[in-house]
Amino acid sequence: MKKAQPTDLKPGKGKRSRATGRITLSDVAKAASVSPITASRALRSAESVSPELAQRVNAAANTLGYVPDPAARALASARSTSIVVLVPMLTNALFVEVLEAIHEVVTSTGYQTLIAVTHYDSQQEETLIKSYLAHRPAGFIVSGFDRTEVARRLISSSGLPCVHIMEVASAPGLHSVGFSQTEGGATMTRHLIAQGRKRIVFAAAQLDPRTMQRAEGYRRAMKSAGLYDPKLEVLNPQRSSIALGAELLEQSLRYNPDVDAIFFNNDDLAQGGVLHAQRLGIKVPEQIAIGGFNDLTGSDQMNPPISTIRTPLRQMGTQAAQMLLQLLEGQPVQKPNIDLSFELIVRKSS
Amino acid sequence: MKKAQPTDLKPGKGKRSRATGRITLSDVAKAASVSPITASRALRSAESVSPELAQRVNAAANTLGYVPDPAARALASARSTSIVVLVPMLTNALFVEVLEAIHEVVTSTGYQTLIAVTHYDSQQEETLIKSYLAHRPAGFIVSGFDRTEVARRLISSSGLPCVHIMEVASAPGLHSVGFSQTEGGATMTRHLIAQGRKRIVFAAAQLDPRTMQRAEGYRRAMKSAGLYDPKLEVLNPQRSSIALGAELLEQSLRYNPDVDAIFFNNDDLAQGGVLHAQRLGIKVPEQIAIGGFNDLTGSDQMNPPISTIRTPLRQMGTQAAQMLLQLLEGQPVQKPNIDLSFELIVRKSS
DNA sequence: CTGAAAGCGCTTACAG
DNA sequence: CTGAAAGCGCTTACAG
C-alpha cells in the first residue's frame, strides 16, 4: 500500500524543552515529504495544490491521526473557527430551538458555537460583543436588528460576516433570515376577527422589540377593522412563562370584562391562559377565544389545543448558519435576506 | 493623575508586514515600563509580582484597553479558557436549566462554555470528546458516569479536571455534583404507596441510565411494599415530551386497566398525562394519581398541579461549575462529591 | 521578585 | 503549483 514511514517521526526525539507530544503539521509534512506550507494548504482545501500531493498529505494526516490545533491556527490567521451566537435568553424555548438548529450545522462543519446570552439588555450585548471579539470569532449570528450604535459598529468594523435572525430586512450588505413579526401579529389578529371576535386583547410579556412588532401588527389589524381600543393591550414587562399567562388572563378580564378573545404574544403565555381559564370555569373558545404565537411544544396538547402562528424556528437557525458558512467560505450568497414566513395554525381554541 | 504615555506606543510604527493593530501585551509592558513576562504575570494574578508593579501594569492595561488574546494564550500555555460541557440533549428543558446555570458562572469568570450534545449516544460522545480535546479545553463537565471505556480514558489521560453532574458517587479522585436518581424514584413511589395506591405504573421515556436508576428506585419501593409487578413498567425508548406523556397514559391503561397511579419519569410526560386524562374524562387524582419528576416549568400550572420530585437543576450547574473553577485555579476542593438531594413536592395530582 | 530567550503550531505574504 | 522565512501574541522554563 505505502512505504514504511520514516522512523524518526516518533516524538521525543531531540531535546526540545517543551515537547508536547502532539502530532503537528510538520509531522504530517515530513511523512508526506512536502513542506509544512503545502501540507497546510492541502489540509485546508487543496487551494492550489496538485491533486497528487493533496492526497499524499491527507493520507499522512489520517494515518498519523493529525488534528489541527485551533489555537495555533487562530493565532496565525487571526481568525478562529468559533461562531458567536447572540441570543436574548435561554429560558425561552424559542431560542433553544433556534440554537439547536444552528449548533447542528455549525459543529458538523468543524466550527464551534459560542453562545452569548444578552438577557434582552443592549448594554450587556455591547459588552459581550466586545469581549467575544477578542476571541477572533469567524462570524456572528445575532437576534434581530435592535442594538446600540456602538454594538453595530463593533460588528461592522470587525469586518466579520454577520447574519441576523428572527427578523428580515433588505438593506444592501445586510444578511438576515427571519420573518415578519408584524405580519404574524396581524395574521393572528385577523383570524380572531374573522371568527367574529370584537374585544380582542393583546396580552404580551417581556416587551422586547419583536413583541412590540407583533403588537404593531395587532394594532393595524384592529384599526382597519374599526375595533382598536388601547385598553385592550395588556402589556407586562416580566419574562414570558406559563405562570405569567395565567396572570395575564386575569388582568385581561379585570380591565376588559367584555373580552371575547385573547391573543397571547407567545405560546407559553397562551398555555397558561388556557389552563387558567379552565380553573376559572371559562369556556375556551365559547366565552373567550385564545390565540398564541410560535407553536411551542405542548400547545397542541392543551385542552383545547391552541391556535397559533407557527414560526420557522429550526429552519431559521439552519439557514442562518448555512448562510454564514457560505460567507465564511467566500461563496456567493444568492439571497442575502430570506423571509421564511410563518403559518397560521387553527386549532380548537379559536 | 499620571504621566503622559510615551507616544511611540501608537500602532503602525515600524513596517511589520502583518501588523494587526491589536494592542498586545508588549504594548502594556512598555507603557508600564516592565518586561512582557512581568506584565503577563501581573495580569494573570499577581503571582509573585510586587504589588507596585502589578498595579502599574493593570493601570496600563486599563488605559490601553488591553484584551488578552485567547488563541495566543492557549498556544503558549497549551490550555485554553474553554470548558467543554457534555449534555445528552437540548430539547429536554432539564439540561437547558443546568446549562444556563453553568454558563452563568463560567462566563462570569472569563471562561467560555463549549456545549457538546451527545444525543444519548456513547459513540458520538466519544467522538465529541476526541475532537474537543484538540481545542485544549481547560476542563470538562459531563453528564453522569455512563460512558465508553475509551471516552473515560480520553478524559482521564488528558489530565484535565472533570466534574460529573446529574449523579453522585464517591470514588477517590472523582468529582461529582448531583443526587441519587434511585432514591428520587423510590421517594415518589413511596409517596404514591402512602396515598393508598397499589397498582402504580412506572411510565418512562428515553430509557437512559438515569431513567433506569429511577426505575430501580421504583422497583425497590414496590417490592418492599409487596406491590411489584413487572407489567406495571411502561417503558418507551422515544424521547421525552408532553405528547408522549399522553401516549404513555393510554398504554398504561391498556396494559393495566386497574392502574390507580402513574409515576411519570419526567415532568413533561406527567403534564401530557394529566392533559390526556382530562381528555379521557379520567379524574386525577380520584381515579388515577399522577406523579412526575424534576419539577419542570408548568407542572404547578396544570389542572390539577402535579406532585413531583424537585431536583436541584440550577444548583447542580452552579456548584459543578464552581468546583471545576476551583480545580482550575488549583484550589483545594473540600468536598469533591456533593449530594444535593431532592425534594418531594406534593400537589393536587396525588 | 524580575527578565532575555525560546517556543507553542500554525499561516501569511513573498518569491520562485 | 511549491517552499524558506517570518511572525501571530502569548507563556514556559531557566537564570539571576
Side-chain angles (χ1 to χ4, degrees), chain A residues 5-6 8-9 24-36 39 60 64:
Chain A
Q5 299 298 331
D8 55 26
L9 273 182
T24 71
L25 185 63
S26 327
D27 295 331
V28 175
K30 267 183 224 152
S33 311
V34 296
S35 71
L64 290 178

Side-chain angles (χ1 to χ4, degrees), chain A residues 18 22 67 69-71 74-76 90-91 96 100 103 112 114-115 134-136 243 275 278-279 301 303, chain B residues 18 22 67 69-71 74-76 90-91 96 100 103 112 114-115 134-136 243 275 278-279 301-303:
Chain A
R18 254 202 296 169
R22 193 177 240 267
V67 186
D69 184 327
L75 184 57
L90 252 35
T91 35
V96 176
E100 209 188 17
H103 190 262
Q112 298 83 239
L114 245 37
I115 296 171
H135 290 266
R136 315 175 185 246
L275 289 164
Q278 189 166 79
R279 250 171 258 142
Q301 295 292 313
N303 302 321
Chain B
R18 256 203 293 170
R22 193 178 240 268
V67 186
D69 184 325
L75 183 58
L90 251 35
T91 35
V96 176
E100 209 188 19
H103 191 262
Q112 298 83 239
L114 246 35
I115 296 170
H135 291 265
R136 316 173 184 247
L275 289 165
Q278 188 165 83
R279 251 170 258 143
Q301 294 293 314
M302 293 291 132
N303 302 321

Side-chain angles (χ1 to χ4, degrees), chain A residues 81-99:
Chain A
T81 54
S82 53
I83 289 171
V84 175
V85 185
L86 288 163
V87 289
M89 212 144 232
L90 252 35
T91 35
N92 196 332
L94 200 64
F95 296 108
V96 176
E97 290 217 30
V98 181
L99 266 181

Side-chain angles (χ1 to χ4, degrees), chain A residues 132-197:
Chain A
Y132 276 104
L133 237 18
H135 290 266
R136 315 175 185 246
F140 283 96
I141 293 180
V142 304
S143 303
F145 298 108
D146 187 72
R147 50 187 46 80
T148 66
E149 194 45 43
V150 174
R152 223 184 301 277
R153 208 148 21 182
L154 279 171
I155 293 176
S156 70
S157 68
S158 76
L160 299 176
C162 175
V163 176
H164 301 73
I165 53 173
M166 306 309 294
E167 306 174 38
V168 238
S170 56
L174 203 68
H175 295 269
S176 61
V177 182
F179 59 93
S180 168
Q181 304 276 347
T182 311
E183 260 316 300
T187 299
M188 174 54 78
T189 309
R190 277 188 230 111
H191 161 67
L192 293 170
I193 293 172
Q195 303 305 302
R197 308 293 167 157

Side-chain angles (χ1 to χ4, degrees), chain B residues 79 82 109 130 212 219 233 244 257 317 331 335:
Chain B
R79 197 101 313 164
S82 54
T109 49
K130 221 171 293 177
M212 298 323 285
R219 278 174 206 138
E233 295 189 11
L244 186 61
Q331 288 167 28
K335 223 174 160 317

